[in-house]
Amino acid sequence: MEFPGIAHFDPNVASASEEILLYSEGNVQYPVVQAEGYDIPAPQYVPADDQYNVYTNAEFHETHSILADGGDRFGVSAIAFDHQEELLWMGNQGGHVTSYYGPGMQKYTSFQVHANQEVRHIHTFDEGILALTTTSLRCQIRRGIPVFTYSSVHMEDMQCQLQLSQDTVLMGGHQEKIIEFNLPRRQETKLHQVGKNGCAILRQSGRFICAGDPSGRIDLRDPNTLSVEHSLDAHSGSLSDFDVHGNLLVTCGFSNRQCGLSVDRFLMVYDLRMLRALAPLPVVVDPLLLRFLPSFSSRLATVSALGQLQLLDTVALDSSGLSLYQVDTAGSMCLAFDVSSSCQCVALGDAGGSIHLLVSGPVSATSTAPVFNTFSRETEFADPVDPLPPIGFTDDAPPLSTVPLPYTQPGTSLLSDWPPQFLQKVYRRTPPINPEILRTMKMQGTIGYAPNPMSSRRNQVAYKAERTSGQVQRKLFSDSRPGAGEVGFIAIPKRYRKTDVRYSRMGASDFNFEQYNGTGLCGLEATLANSYCNAMIQVLYYTESVHNLLLSHLCCKEFCLSCELGFLFHMLDNSQGPPCQSNNFLRAFRTVPEASALGLILSDRNPEARRRANLISLIQNWNQFILHQMHSELLETRRRQEEAENSRQPDFVYNELDFPSILGSAQLRLSKNRHDRQQEGGTQASSKQCTTEDMQQEETEISLLFGTRQMNTHICMTCNSEVSKESIVLLTNLIYPHNSSDNQAEYTFCDVLMRSMFPEQTTPAWCEHCGRYRQSVRSRKITALPQIMAVNCGLDHPQNKQFWQQQIELATGQRTSCSPGETKDGEAARKLRMCRYGTGCTRPSCRFSHSTMSSPPVTTKDTTTPLAAVRPWLPAHLTAKLRKDGDIDIQGFASPTTQLEDEYEEIVQTVNYDLTAVVCHVSESRHPERNNLVALINVPSSYHKKTTSSCDSQWYIFNDFTVTPVPGSEAVWFSLDWKLPCVLFFTNRNLPSELVPPPLNPLTADVFREDESLARGCGQRMITFTPLGTNEMLGRGDIVAMDAEFVTLNQEESELRSDGKMSTIKPSQMSVARITCIRGQGPLEGTPFIDDYISTQEQVVDYLTKFSGIKPGDLDANFSSKHLTTLKSTYQKLRFLVDIGVKFVGHGLKNDFRVINLVVPAEQIIDTVSLFHLPHHRMVSLRFLAWHFLGINIQSETHDSVEDARTALHLYQHYCHLEAKGASAVRAALEELYNAGNRLHWQVPCGLNDSNSSGVSVTSHG
């Protein structure tokens, strides 16, 4: 008999045949009882009211059948009654949880616990609920506020959970381990082995923890140790469900019959006291789920997949008490079932997304409402919304804003609307023209021309606030630029302002970078954290000696900044226009502990800290750091090479005792008294010769380029003992005068530079002669000038900035009589130069001043006038002369043709410097988040020869990916209101050729032979490729199929625009996780020779397993079972293949190479996206191409880079086959491809039985 609603089988109605028949309708079978005089309703939906009125004597009645949240898309996968409150909880297959209050099923809370995984189990406890999904555990309070979300590598396919105590929860699933989880600490405490079948159901009895696996066995485990005490083989096929009450355990499941699984029509019963089986219970439905009715010691309910509910007794099955119900699931499979603790309510959830609530007792207006729990605590509800207080019609005190506006239809007028006769348009008065414009204006016909006084933005008029009738009229239009409309506002040129990339749904790939760079020189993108160093990277790249040096450098250190800079410089060489990303360099930069200790690393997860960062101090510290880092890495590499060639020497230890000095390992330390100098002269000379040889061993190419040799002297002020040591300084930090009287004096830049190279300070130091710390005078003496002088300006201090500003004002106010090419370095300037020995100077021929002079008058001028640009305070050219006594004379010029005459003392070294690079800080005071760093670089002619035929050097401004040519005068002009110099590079005009060696490619075929896996203990077991043999080395033009997989490090940041569309602020940061290269020819064609998983030490936000095939743990050397390598190792292999000229075949290689940080010439890329593409049509996926042309189904579950690379190779071979037939054959094949795609909506049919028209058979040798 089919029950359309809920029916109670009446045993008094006798059956004609005294047997139970089966009624078949399609593939669905229902138990049917044929009886005379029994009205069988038609198989159709009956309204709930009609159902309840018909079956008034039934034990249970269906009171509600509702569609749950998301029920139109997902079925109900879990259902549970709350044991503390009157709530019913539901979880669906889409990861959504909803609760309903009381038997009236009033929705209480609704929230998402996972983006796409189904809810497997819901457990309620005092503080909230635990929702278990496939790979995570979510805890939320009942009001919907999340407490925590836990996931780990041990949670692979979870199914069930059981709370043992207030703090401990067990979680099991289709995996070999049960997880013991501590709730307060939110961490795993133990892992218990359960075997390969796993644990699908967990129940607790008085003596045991009952764990059921899918194979039909139930293990009875000790509650304390979880060791197996006894096992019950309940079903031969599979276990469907079981429940425990008292000493009884009842199961339902499947048996193996006729080479398949068949539902057992018997419920297996076991006595847990005697640990033996009792007589099974026959049922008239196909049992799928079962639960004990807690109020009755021996009563239970079982449900079939079709919604048939049977109530039976486990002690004695009375034939006169058979109860059978049918829940109208509309043909949907029943997936979840639970009984309330009061036994008054039963809930079922089906695959159609519906929840069915059954209550016991008669349904009438006078009957008592059922409850879920016998004693439930009060449920907390949201506070009610207080009604608005009434406002009297004649009361004029309340504000009108408290009166809510009604929703009116179009055309409805309000009482407050003014009639049209009382309204008229009044336009704003035009403000008067600036008198300065009228004074300087020249008329040409009816048009007047005047210089822009720079008081407002071009083509805009600033309206001032006007008072009318006691009220201030506000501006109708406001300028978004900071300070616009104010007196003295200076607009920042566009080439200096920070440029924001406008991202679309395709990311930055469709952003037009060419409109910001038409020079042929390559810029750098600034989307990653720590991209503030882009300006200094460009300076190092266009320093030709550093550029060639790093291109030739290669070492075995994983995170070597010199190697990464060399790789980045190679990208910039090959790009020739499109911007590059420095993500590999920044990835290595984040791992250097010295950079973190210096505060140079800005976290991408803390944008507030990034906004507060002082970019001026950061870039100057970064300049100091990178020079010392390159020096130490080159020195370490050279020592490793010497150790490999000779006997092992002591490991390199980098001692930075006098930062930023680079000290020799055996430095000269001569302790002597001034009274005994002549007696120790011979010893000093021999010691200096020994020290010079030791210093040469500590030198590198960086110290030869940037190093200033100096002799540091410490003189004890108590005993006059003197200690000297020789050192090398890689850069100079400008030191400005500190006295107020000095600030008013006029200094040249050369004066400040010389003052900074000879600092004299008094500091406590250890005196060997006195045997204690004494006040010592520390001084320096230059012994050799650098070839490249790196200068940090130090304008992050307001006092230094004020000094620079005053000197600019003095220079522009007092040099009107000087020629443009001359700076004031004559005798008058020397009179203002103070002797570094002060009044204690004993030199008879000293030409410097030893007393304080009167300061010249200060004249204030506007630094934005052309005078400041014509006569800058910073010279573009310097001439430094080192004298025999260690003094240095520096003079500046605006033109490199000016010559100087030697005077006074013998000259040891003369160097003519040219300003080649300036790093500037551009600040917008009202928008500090838009502050940025730019580099003005005099690009040498050798770089222009790569892109154009020009042989002249030219100044450019590099603002991340924006590159613009500028005149040379702009490099030495500064408006300290928004443009501040940070770093200066002066290069020797006659740089020795041995310091600019031609670049050499350090990569050889040996990169394929140095391949070791980082995964611990995997050995050679997980190698999935065949390395290249010595007889099959690739050459120019050879085919290599390639594919890469990626993971996400940072999620995409988006915002909702005013038009309702999402706008991408920052794209997600991807990291390469797997790279595969496959042979494209030869006897091993189709066989991989590179299949490397890339180890990462950074936190992975999303492994993208569905699209990448990468799982948690695959990239961790402690847990990975893959062939794990470093990114640098695999990158060298790809670089080598690019350098020898192989051709890469793949699908979407442009994005792959972009994330890998490798620039490949276009002629070396064969992309199947472009091969099988018609102009002005959509791109076709690799899966659809493989199905259409090759007749294979790929990427059905997840992506595999070997499979994708091999498929791309076969598609390329198929394209060559079509191309051999002619262009018409290719065109016809593409048209057929797009016709098939449009017909199938670009979806691959399920299964390969749906044959395609153009499928071909391809045989792989791999």
Side-chain angles (χ1 to χ4, degrees):
M1 175 178 180
E2 181 184 2
F3 298 90
I6 304 168
H8 179 206
F9 176 74
D10 190 353
N12 297 325
V13 180
S15 174
S17 57
E18 296 295 337
E19 63 181 0
I20 299 176
L21 304 178
L22 293 178
Y23 170 72
S24 177
E25 180 180 356
N27 294 328
V28 182
Q29 295 183 347
Y30 301 93
V32 179
V33 179
Q34 297 292 344
E36 295 180 357
Y38 199 92
D39 186 15
I40 302 177
Q44 60 184 0
Y45 175 76
V46 180
D49 295 339
D50 298 343
Q51 300 173 16
Y52 308 148
N53 292 335
V54 173
Y55 305 104
T56 57
N57 296 325
E59 183 178 352
F60 279 89
H61 301 267
E62 184 175 8
T63 59
H64 292 84
S65 180
I66 62 174
L67 185 66
D69 286 1
D72 55 337
R73 294 171 297 161
F74 304 105
V76 177
S77 57
I79 201 165
F81 283 98
D82 200 315
H83 294 166
Q84 284 76 25
E85 299 182 9
E86 292 291 303
L87 296 175
L88 173 64
W89 294 92
M90 177 280 304
N92 66 13
Q93 296 170 339
H96 197 83
V97 172
T98 306
S99 62
Y100 300 91
Y101 176 75
M105 298 295 284
Q106 174 189 352
K107 186 188 292 186
Y108 180 63
T109 53
S110 183
F111 46 84
Q112 191 80 14
V113 298
H114 200 280
N116 49 24
Q117 295 179 3
E118 69 175 357
V119 180
R120 296 285 178 83
H121 193 276
I122 295 177
H123 173 73
T124 62
F125 63 110
D126 289 340
E127 288 78 12
I129 69 162
L130 295 174
L132 184 67
T133 65
T134 306
T135 60
S136 66
L137 177 67
R138 180 69 166 266
C139 178
Q140 300 216 183
I141 66 175
R142 289 175 172 81
R143 289 178 297 162
I145 302 176
V147 179
F148 67 85
T149 302
Y150 180 80
S151 61
S152 72
V153 295
H154 302 120
M155 301 178 68
E156 299 175 358
D157 191 0
M158 309 307 297
Q159 284 290 128
C160 57
Q161 57 181 329
L162 177 66
Q163 185 171 8
L164 297 182
S165 63
Q166 186 177 1
D167 299 338
T168 305
V169 173
L170 295 180
M171 295 183 290
H174 299 306
Q175 55 191 32
E176 298 182 358
K177 298 177 182 179
I178 289 181
I179 301 173
E180 185 174 334
F181 185 78
N182 187 279
L183 279 177
R185 292 187 294 174
R186 303 173 188 176
Q187 65 181 15
E188 300 174 5
T189 56
K190 290 183 181 179
L191 296 176
H192 304 277
Q193 293 288 341
V194 294
K196 63 180 180 180
N197 292 327
C199 175
I201 306 172
L202 285 171
R203 299 282 188 266
Q204 186 174 15
S205 67
R207 296 174 52 191
F208 303 106
I209 300 296
C210 305
D213 62 19
S215 64
R217 189 183 67 181
I218 300 177
D219 293 330
L220 306 181
R221 297 178 175 270
D222 183 81
N224 298 322
T225 63
L226 288 184
S227 59
V228 178
E229 300 291 335
H230 193 74
S231 295
L232 304 175
D233 292 326
H235 301 274
S236 60
S238 177
L239 179 67
S240 176
D241 197 4
F242 75 91
D243 199 7
V244 180
H245 187 72
N247 296 315
L248 292 180
L249 184 147
V250 182
T251 70
C252 62
F254 300 85
S255 299
N256 290 317
R257 298 175 187 173
Q258 298 179 356
C259 300
L261 293 178
S262 179
V263 181
D264 281 338
R265 282 294 186 93
F266 289 91
L267 303 181
M268 303 301 173
V269 184
Y270 297 91
D271 188 346
L272 297 181
R273 291 176 299 180
M274 307 299 295
L275 296 180
R276 63 182 180 85
L278 302 179
L281 302 176
V283 292
V284 297
V285 300
D286 293 337
L288 179 67
L289 304 170
L290 63 87
R291 290 289 185 277
F292 272 100
L293 301 180
S295 295
F296 306 97
S297 60
S298 60
R299 199 87 185 276
L300 62 84
T302 180
V303 178
S304 69
L306 301 178
Q308 299 158 337
L309 172 66
Q310 182 180 354
L311 303 178
L312 66 158
D313 199 297
T314 58
V315 177
L317 181 60
D318 188 359
S319 59
S320 62
L322 181 63
S323 298
L324 189 65
Y325 304 87
Q326 173 67 49
V327 180
D328 188 9
T329 60
S332 299
M333 182 178 180
C334 183
L335 301 178
F337 173 54
D338 197 17
V339 178
S340 66
S341 61
S342 65
C343 293
Q344 299 181 20
C345 299
V346 175
L348 296 91
D350 58 36
S354 297
I355 301 175
H356 309 275
L357 181 66
L358 291 74
V359 300
S360 63
V363 179
S364 63
T366 59
S367 60
T368 305
V371 292
F372 295 164
N373 304 303
T374 306
F375 301 100
S376 295
R377 67 187 181 192
E378 186 177 355
T379 302
E380 182 180 2
F381 289 92
D383 296 334
V385 179
D386 296 332
L388 295 174
I391 300 176
F393 189 78
T394 59
D395 189 2
D396 55 356
L400 295 179
S401 59
T402 59
V403 181
L405 290 177
Y407 294 99
T408 59
Q409 296 295 330
T412 304
S413 60
L414 300 176
L415 184 61
S416 58
D417 291 341
W418 285 63
Q421 59 268 23
F422 295 109
L423 300 175
Q424 75 178 55
K425 293 183 179 180
V426 177
Y427 296 95
R428 183 188 297 272
R429 294 180 181 179
T430 304
I433 301 176
N434 192 337
E436 181 66 18
I437 296 178
L438 296 176
R439 188 182 64 82
T440 59
M441 185 170 57
K442 296 180 181 180
M443 298 298 297
Q444 294 290 337
T446 58
I447 301 176
Y449 297 88
N452 190 349
M454 305 299 292
S455 61
S456 62
R457 293 190 65 189
R458 185 183 298 273
N459 300 328
Q460 291 191 10
V461 177
Y463 289 91
K464 296 183 179 180
E466 299 178 359
R467 288 189 174 271
T468 304
S469 301
Q471 295 182 356
V472 178
Q473 294 183 354
R474 297 183 178 179
K475 294 181 181 181
L476 293 179
F477 302 97
S478 60
D479 195 350
S480 60
R481 291 291 304 278
E486 296 181 359
V487 178
F489 167 72
I490 300 176
I492 300 178
K494 185 177 180 180
R495 58 184 176 274
Y496 286 92
R497 296 199 300 265
K498 186 176 182 180
T499 305
D500 296 328
V501 181
R502 296 179 178 88
Y503 300 97
S504 64
R505 62 184 183 90
M506 302 297 294
S509 58
D510 57 347
F511 184 78
N512 186 14
F513 288 101
E514 295 181 357
Q515 64 176 335
Y516 298 97
N517 182 10
T519 62
L521 304 177
C522 186
L524 292 171
E525 294 187 28
T527 58
L528 304 177
N530 304 300
S531 294
Y532 68 88
C533 59
N534 283 351
M536 274 304 305
I537 292 177
Q538 293 283 17
V539 171
L540 296 176
Y541 171 70
Y542 288 105
T543 303
E544 191 171 4
S545 54
V546 179
H547 169 268
N548 295 354
L549 171 65
L550 295 183
L551 281 181
S552 306
H553 172 74
L554 185 65
C555 67
C556 59
K557 185 179 178 182
E558 179 180 359
F559 297 111
C560 175
L561 297 189
S562 301
C563 290
E564 295 298 340
L565 280 176
F567 296 153
L568 181 57
F569 290 172
H570 183 270
M571 290 176 57
L572 295 173
D573 285 340
N574 293 342
S575 180
Q576 298 181 359
C580 297
Q581 279 189 335
S582 57
N583 51 352
N584 285 358
F585 170 77
L586 296 178
R587 179 175 182 263
F589 174 62
R590 290 191 293 268
T591 63
V592 179
E594 291 84 355
S596 178
L598 292 173
L600 301 179
I601 300 176
L602 301 180
S603 174
D604 198 24
R605 306 179 187 276
N606 190 359
E608 185 63 28
R610 295 175 59 189
R611 285 192 293 268
R612 293 196 306 264
N614 187 346
L615 293 180
I616 301 177
S617 177
L618 271 177
I619 198 63
Q620 292 180 151
N621 293 338
W622 194 92
N623 178 34
Q624 183 172 278
F625 160 77
I626 197 65
L627 292 178
H628 285 80
Q629 187 71 16
M630 290 190 297
H631 168 79
S632 62
E633 289 173 349
L634 293 176
L635 186 59
E636 185 178 358
T637 302
R638 189 182 70 188
R639 291 195 170 186
R640 287 180 177 175
Q641 293 174 353
E642 292 176 356
E643 290 176 0
E645 296 175 358
N646 306 323
S647 60
R648 181 175 180 84
Q649 299 178 358
D651 293 335
F652 168 72
V653 178
Y654 179 71
N655 294 321
E656 194 173 343
L657 302 178
D658 192 13
F659 195 86
S661 299
I662 300 174
L663 305 179
S665 61
Q667 297 186 0
L668 176 62
R669 295 183 178 271
L670 299 178
S671 300
K672 58 185 179 179
N673 192 284
R674 288 188 175 182
H675 301 288
D676 302 327
R677 290 182 185 176
Q678 295 180 355
Q679 299 178 2
E680 299 179 0
T683 307
Q684 177 181 357
S686 60
S687 301
K688 286 185 178 181
Q689 182 179 0
C690 178
T691 304
T692 303
E693 296 177 356
D694 294 336
M695 289 288 294
Q696 291 177 355
Q697 296 180 359
E698 300 293 332
E699 284 188 347
T700 63
E701 293 84 349
I702 294 297
S703 62
L704 292 176
L705 287 171
F706 295 90
T708 301
R709 285 179 173 269
Q710 62 182 11
M711 183 67 69
N712 296 328
T713 304
H714 295 264
I715 302 175
C716 178
M717 299 179 67
T718 303
C719 65
N720 290 333
S721 63
E722 181 177 319
V723 178
S724 299
K725 61 178 180 180
E726 190 175 7
S727 63
I728 299 177
V729 178
L730 295 183
L731 55 82
T732 302
N733 294 309
L734 291 184
I735 301 176
Y736 300 93
H738 298 291
N739 298 330
S740 58
S741 59
D742 291 344
N743 290 342
Q744 300 300 324
E746 183 179 0
Y747 287 85
T748 64
F749 176 81
C750 302
D751 295 336
V752 177
L753 182 58
M754 285 188 292
R755 184 191 186 102
S756 305
M757 298 180 73
F758 293 96
E760 183 173 313
Q761 52 185 325
T762 302
T763 58
W766 178 262
C767 179
E768 294 287 349
H769 187 268
C770 299
R772 63 183 62 186
Y773 281 96
R774 296 291 191 182
Q775 288 292 330
S776 301
V777 177
R778 176 183 175 184
S779 60
R780 298 178 185 176
K781 182 181 292 185
I782 304 297
T783 59
L785 294 173
Q787 301 297 327
I788 301 176
M789 185 183 298
V791 179
N792 282 347
C793 296
L795 294 186
D796 50 335
H797 196 282
Q799 187 177 359
N800 298 341
K801 180 181 176 182
Q802 182 182 5
F803 173 83
W804 192 296
Q805 178 73 37
Q806 290 174 350
Q807 296 306 315
I808 291 179
E809 293 173 354
L810 290 172
T812 56
Q814 295 185 354
R815 298 185 185 180
T816 32
S817 60
C818 300
S819 61
E822 179 184 358
T823 60
K824 205 163 187 178
D825 289 310
E827 191 64 24
R830 290 179 181 173
K831 291 180 180 179
L832 295 176
R833 191 181 309 167
M834 302 296 297
C835 178
R836 66 175 180 270
Y837 297 107
T839 57
C841 179
T842 59
R843 297 181 300 173
S845 59
C846 182
R847 62 187 184 279
F848 301 101
S849 176
H850 301 86
S851 60
T852 305
M853 293 186 172
S854 58
S855 304
V858 178
T859 305
T860 304
K861 293 288 183 180
D862 186 6
T863 59
T864 62
T865 59
L867 187 60
V870 173
R871 297 187 178 94
W873 188 67
L874 175 66
H877 308 276
L878 299 175
T879 296
K881 294 184 178 182
L882 179 64
R883 304 185 185 277
K884 191 174 183 180
D885 59 353
D887 289 339
I888 186 172
D889 186 18
I890 302 178
Q891 294 179 333
F893 302 92
S895 173
T897 58
T898 306
Q899 299 294 332
L900 291 178
E901 296 181 0
D902 298 341
E903 50 185 75
Y904 297 112
E905 302 178 17
E906 182 180 356
I907 303 300
V908 177
Q909 183 183 6
T910 301
V911 181
N912 295 316
Y913 292 103
D914 295 331
L915 182 64
T916 55
V918 181
V919 176
C920 300
H921 177 257
V922 180
S923 61
E924 298 188 30
S925 58
R926 297 194 178 181
H927 296 277
E929 70 277 1
R930 298 191 60 82
N931 295 350
N932 68 317
L933 295 164
V934 300
L936 290 101
I937 304 174
N938 188 8
V939 177
S941 58
S942 57
Y943 291 85
H944 290 287
K945 294 178 182 178
K946 301 176 184 178
T947 56
T948 62
S949 58
S950 175
C951 297
D952 299 329
S953 60
Q954 168 69 41
W955 282 90
Y956 292 87
I957 178 173
F958 291 83
N959 185 2
D960 293 332
F961 56 84
T962 303
V963 184
T964 310
V966 294
S969 60
E970 192 164 324
V972 295
W973 173 83
F974 304 99
S975 174
L976 300 188
D977 293 333
W978 59 272
K979 179 185 177 184
L980 281 77
C982 301
V983 179
L984 308 176
F985 267 44
F986 290 93
T987 305
N988 186 356
R989 193 180 307 155
N990 303 313
L991 193 65
S993 58
E994 60 269 15
L995 295 180
V996 193
L1000 301 176
N1001 191 347
L1003 294 175
T1004 63
D1006 294 336
V1007 297
F1008 290 97
R1009 301 183 180 95
E1010 303 171 356
D1011 200 355
E1012 297 181 0
S1013 177
L1014 302 179
R1016 300 178 180 176
C1018 75
Q1020 303 293 327
R1021 293 184 292 108
M1022 299 309 298
I1023 293 182
T1024 57
F1025 61 93
T1026 303
L1028 289 174
T1030 56
N1031 57 344
E1032 58 170 345
M1033 194 51 62
L1034 301 174
R1036 181 173 297 276
D1038 288 343
I1039 300 298
V1040 171
M1042 177 194 158
D1043 189 65
E1045 307 294 349
F1046 307 96
V1047 294
T1048 301
L1049 299 182
N1050 288 329
Q1051 291 289 7
E1052 179 181 275
E1053 297 180 10
S1054 304
E1055 66 177 0
L1056 186 64
R1057 299 189 309 191
S1058 58
D1059 57 358
K1061 297 181 180 180
M1062 295 299 296
S1063 175
T1064 302
I1065 302 176
K1066 183 179 179 182
S1068 59
Q1069 181 183 351
M1070 310 295 290
S1071 177
V1072 60
R1074 183 184 182 187
I1075 297 178
T1076 302
C1077 291
I1078 291 180
R1079 298 169 174 85
Q1081 60 277 316
L1084 295 179
E1085 175 186 330
T1087 304
F1089 64 91
I1090 297 177
D1091 189 17
D1092 295 344
Y1093 286 76
I1094 308 302
S1095 174
T1096 179
Q1097 298 178 357
E1098 299 181 294
Q1099 182 180 1
V1100 178
V1101 175
D1102 191 353
Y1103 283 90
L1104 305 174
T1105 304
K1106 181 179 179 181
F1107 306 101
S1108 65
I1110 307 297
K1111 297 180 180 179
D1114 287 349
L1115 309 182
D1116 192 336
N1118 297 319
F1119 305 100
S1120 177
S1121 60
K1122 311 296 183 182
H1123 181 74
L1124 201 63
T1125 64
T1126 63
L1127 176 61
K1128 182 178 179 180
S1129 173
T1130 307
Y1131 186 91
Q1132 293 179 71
K1133 301 175 189 176
L1134 295 179
R1135 249 288 302 277
F1136 177 77
L1137 296 177
V1138 174
D1139 293 343
I1140 65 176
V1142 302
K1143 293 185 177 181
F1144 293 92
V1145 176
H1147 193 81
L1149 290 180
K1150 179 181 178 181
N1151 181 67
D1152 292 356
F1153 286 129
R1154 173 183 171 85
V1155 179
I1156 296 173
N1157 232 211
L1158 188 64
V1159 174
V1160 183
E1163 60 271 12
Q1164 292 181 235
I1165 297 179
I1166 303 174
D1167 202 328
T1168 53
V1169 171
S1170 304
L1171 293 181
F1172 298 96
H1173 176 248
L1174 285 177
H1176 310 295
H1177 288 72
R1178 60 163 287 170
M1179 301 295 183
V1180 186
S1181 66
L1182 180 65
R1183 185 185 184 197
F1184 194 86
L1185 290 175
W1187 173 82
H1188 181 78
F1189 288 111
L1190 307 181
I1192 59 177
N1193 191 3
I1194 65 173
Q1195 302 174 356
S1196 56
E1197 295 182 359
T1198 184
H1199 288 223
D1200 181 44
S1201 57
V1202 175
E1203 181 184 50
D1204 294 350
R1206 189 177 290 127
T1207 302
L1209 177 63
H1210 294 162
L1211 286 172
Y1212 170 67
Q1213 295 171 348
H1214 181 65
Y1215 182 84
C1216 294
H1217 178 71
L1218 293 175
E1219 196 174 30
K1221 297 181 181 180
S1224 59
V1226 176
R1227 179 74 182 184
L1230 293 181
E1231 291 178 352
E1232 184 179 356
L1233 167 68
Y1234 279 90
N1235 291 335
N1238 293 329
R1239 184 175 63 255
L1240 298 174
H1241 302 289
W1242 301 102
Q1243 298 295 324
V1244 175
C1246 298
L1248 291 178
N1249 294 330
D1250 302 324
S1251 61
N1252 53 350
S1253 58
S1254 60
V1256 295
S1257 176
V1258 179
T1259 302
S1260 173
H1261 299 281

